[in-house]
Amino acid sequence: MQTKLLTKRFETPNSRSIETYLADGGYTGLRKALTTMQPAEVIEEVKKSSLRGRGGAGFPTGMKWGFVPVNSPKPKYVVCNADESEPGTCKDRELMEKDPHQLVEGLLIAAYALLSRQVFIYIRGEYWYLIAILEQAIAEARAQGFVGKSICGTDFDCEIVVHPGAGAYICGEETALLNSLEGYRGHPRIKPPFPAVAGLYGCPTVVNNVETFCAVPHIVVNGGDWYRGLGTEKSGGTKIFSVSGHVNRPGNYEVRMGYPLKQLIEEDCGGIRGGRKLKAVIPGGSSVPIMTAEEVEQATLDYEGMVKAGSMLGSGGVIVMDETTDIFMTTYNLIHFYNHESCGWCTPCREGTDWLLKLFKKIARGEGTTADLDTIKRLCPNIEGRSHCPLGDAAVWPITSAMKKFPEDFLKHVKPVAAPAAA
Ligand SMILES: Cc1cc2nc3c(=O)[nH]c(=O)nc-3n(C[C@H](O)[C@H](O)[C@H](O)COP(=O)(O)O)c2cc1C
Ligand code: SF4
């Protein structure tokens, strides 16, 4: 069963207007923070909440905010990562489309906590229709005194700018995003320094995902302990999962952290289409290891639970595959994506994903041998951990895990090659 917190207004008529938001208690978190809390107290509540970044890496949000130097003479920036390009993930889109004020309020509270006066929303170019929705929400909030000068009658000033990207997956990686926002090509930067210390224009910057910011008003209104109590000790709150593939009712589902993955698929999503059997799930967007049906049985939807079950929570894009799926073709599709989206900066990822794609194409044409599978197995560890940014790892995890867990789906596409005779 869903626990609707961030998604609770999705079905409300005219959910994106400020009137609807205010009637449901909207902007009380911002008012509370500005008039009754010190910035450091807001960060403390977020730390208590065990909120972890919803963009994929699951880094503790309060800890990240705590890294921003309080007394820096430079301006500080808050950047919302609305690039949402991870395959299988479409939760940020619905959050922005149906409840943009929740995001605006979360951004303003974050800016107050971090002593920032400038927020950027970096949104993927394909979401062009959401730009108008966000700009309308910002204009409505400004008219009510929530954006601009002297917010809520206090001395806190803050502006929000919406900036469209141009459709590159790599620009979702936070440092590539910052380069793109500065007007440069979207290549990832070396870390450290981390954005909290030297981010946008070399200034302290916090980058968080849309869903992460949307949780913040609820934490401020109800307290960090309350929010953590909705989930598990280390993975606080609720999380939205975008379920796609062979289920009867695909869509976005908000559940408590720690919710059983099997229950999400079978009860909330109505089970597998056509009464077929489950074969595999890629649970966190495509950049995580694939799971077998057996691994899904015991898996719980929290960061620790998913690692224990043999994968990762990632961005929460749950791709469900039934028994008719050819896992070789699934991974072929994915390596096509990663090769296309490799930014080309570093050799292991640029050349490695290209070589992998060529091998997959050869096998798909029916010309592959077991020696090609061995080459794929040797190539992957030369990309993983040796690339400039995590895209290299993301490109090979689905392949290495699929070859290990579904070897028969690969072997059926190739001809055996005899091992060289011993000398
Ligand atoms: C290749 C790549 C693509 C990414 N794409 C996104 C994205 O579309 N949206 C997002 O929020 N984070 C994305 N991330 C993660 C960001 O780098 C960063 O961790 C995140 O925005 C931090 O916010 P959070 O702590 O709230 O998760 C991506 C990371 C990589 C390596
Ligand atoms: S790993 Fe890939 S995406 Fe990342 S910097 Fe290297 S070439 Fe670019």
Side-chain angles (χ1 to χ4, degrees):
M1 203 180 64
Q2 293 196 68
T3 302
K4 295 189 178 184
L5 182 67
L6 273 59
T7 59
K8 69 175 174 172
R9 278 177 294 271
F10 278 12
E11 308 309 323
T12 310
N14 209 13
S15 64
R16 66 173 78 124
S17 80
I18 198 161
E19 287 77 26
T20 309
Y21 193 62
L22 289 171
D24 199 34
Y27 288 106
T28 48
L30 177 65
R31 203 180 292 280
K32 179 179 172 185
L34 293 187
T35 57
T36 69
M37 296 169 83
Q38 292 299 317
E41 287 177 288
V42 177
I43 297 181
E44 209 38 52
E45 274 322 302
V46 176
K47 280 186 182 163
K48 267 197 235 166
S49 73
S50 280
L51 171 67
R52 293 171 62 170
R54 305 302 196 222
F59 193 83
T61 307
M63 192 190 288
K64 185 189 272 186
W65 291 11
F67 291 150
V68 174
V70 178
N71 293 320
S72 166
K74 295 178 174 176
K76 293 172 193 147
Y77 297 109
V78 168
V79 176
C80 175
N81 190 340
D83 196 58
E84 193 166 64
S85 342
E86 183 66 22
T89 314
C90 55
K91 65 194 175 62
D92 298 342
R93 177 173 71 181
E94 210 173 359
L95 283 167
M96 290 186 281
E97 184 179 339
K98 300 200 171 149
D99 205 347
H101 283 286
Q102 181 174 240
L103 173 61
V104 170
E105 185 179 5
L107 290 167
L108 291 164
I109 295 173
Y112 171 69
L114 297 159
L115 308 169
S116 164
R117 283 156 192 261
Q118 183 64 59
V119 173
F120 292 94
I121 303 176
Y122 184 96
I123 184 163
R124 64 177 286 169
E126 292 89 340
Y127 285 177
W128 53 268
Y129 62 99
L130 295 179
I131 297 173
I133 291 174
L134 288 171
E135 284 184 339
Q136 167 78 16
I138 294 164
E140 288 175 349
R142 186 186 301 280
Q144 298 274 346
F146 297 125
V147 171
K149 295 247 175 261
S150 308
I151 295 174
C152 296
T154 68
D155 60 3
F156 175 58
D157 307 336
C158 190
E159 289 296 335
I160 304 179
V161 166
V162 184
H163 181 96
Y169 174 61
I170 194 57
C171 288
E173 194 283 330
E174 57 183 6
T175 60
L177 183 157
L178 295 175
N179 275 345
S180 170
L181 193 51
E182 287 182 15
Y184 296 106
R185 198 167 166 173
H187 282 145
R189 298 177 182 172
I190 292 274
K191 292 191 267 190
F194 289 93
V197 179
L200 190 64
Y201 306 116
C203 299
T205 304
V206 156
V207 184
N208 276 126
N209 172 255
V210 169
E211 188 185 354
T212 314
F213 284 119
C214 287
V216 170
H218 302 279
I219 293 168
V220 169
V221 170
N222 300 298
D225 290 331
W226 173 86
Y227 183 83
R228 189 181 63 248
L230 293 174
T232 68
E233 190 58 25
K234 290 187 179 160
S235 305
T238 60
K239 164 100 191 79
I240 306 173
F241 292 92
S242 307
V243 188
S244 63
H246 301 149
V247 288
N248 281 309
R249 289 192 295 273
N252 285 322
Y253 292 86
E254 184 177 12
V255 295
R256 290 168 182 254
M257 282 285 194
Y259 194 75
L261 173 56
K262 193 174 171 204
Q263 197 174 342
L264 177 71
I265 295 170
E266 288 193 352
E267 291 178 21
D268 300 283
C269 300
I272 306 296
R273 256 180 359 196
R276 295 201 183 98
K277 279 208 303 219
L278 176 69
K279 179 165 181 177
V281 172
I282 309 186
S286 63
S287 303
V288 301
I290 193 168
M291 298 171 83
T292 62
E294 293 71 44
E295 286 173 325
V296 168
E297 284 289 317
Q298 301 301 326
T300 56
L301 292 164
D302 54 291
Y303 294 98
E304 295 70 36
M306 291 309 286
V307 171
K308 209 167 131 199
S311 188
M312 282 145 71
L313 193 80
S315 60
V318 179
I319 304 165
V320 180
M321 289 162 272
D322 74 16
E323 57 189 327
T324 64
T325 312
D326 180 343
I327 303 294
F328 168 80
M329 293 308 286
T330 306
T331 42
Y332 176 21
N333 187 7
L334 289 177
I335 193 58
H336 185 272
F337 169 78
Y338 287 107
N339 173 248
H340 184 262
E341 294 299 335
S342 165
C343 81
W345 179 257
C346 67
T347 311
C349 171
R350 183 189 61 240
E351 300 302 322
T353 57
D354 198 47
W355 194 356
L356 283 171
L357 180 60
K358 281 184 180 138
L359 288 164
F360 272 80
K361 277 187 178 164
K362 180 182 172 196
I363 296 170
R365 284 196 306 269
E367 295 165 10
T369 66
T370 45
D372 293 314
L373 294 182
D374 290 340
T375 309
I376 294 174
K377 281 186 196 154
R378 276 203 318 277
L379 254 174
C380 287
N382 280 297
I383 301 172
E384 184 184 355
R386 295 179 187 207
S387 301
H388 178 66
C389 89
L391 191 144
D393 300 340
V396 301
W397 283 339
I399 300 176
T400 48
S401 56
M403 289 180 87
K404 202 160 119 204
K405 296 178 188 181
F406 299 94
E408 62 288 357
D409 282 29
F410 289 80
L411 286 170
K412 75 179 181 199
H413 284 277
V414 296
K415 296 179 192 70
V417 169

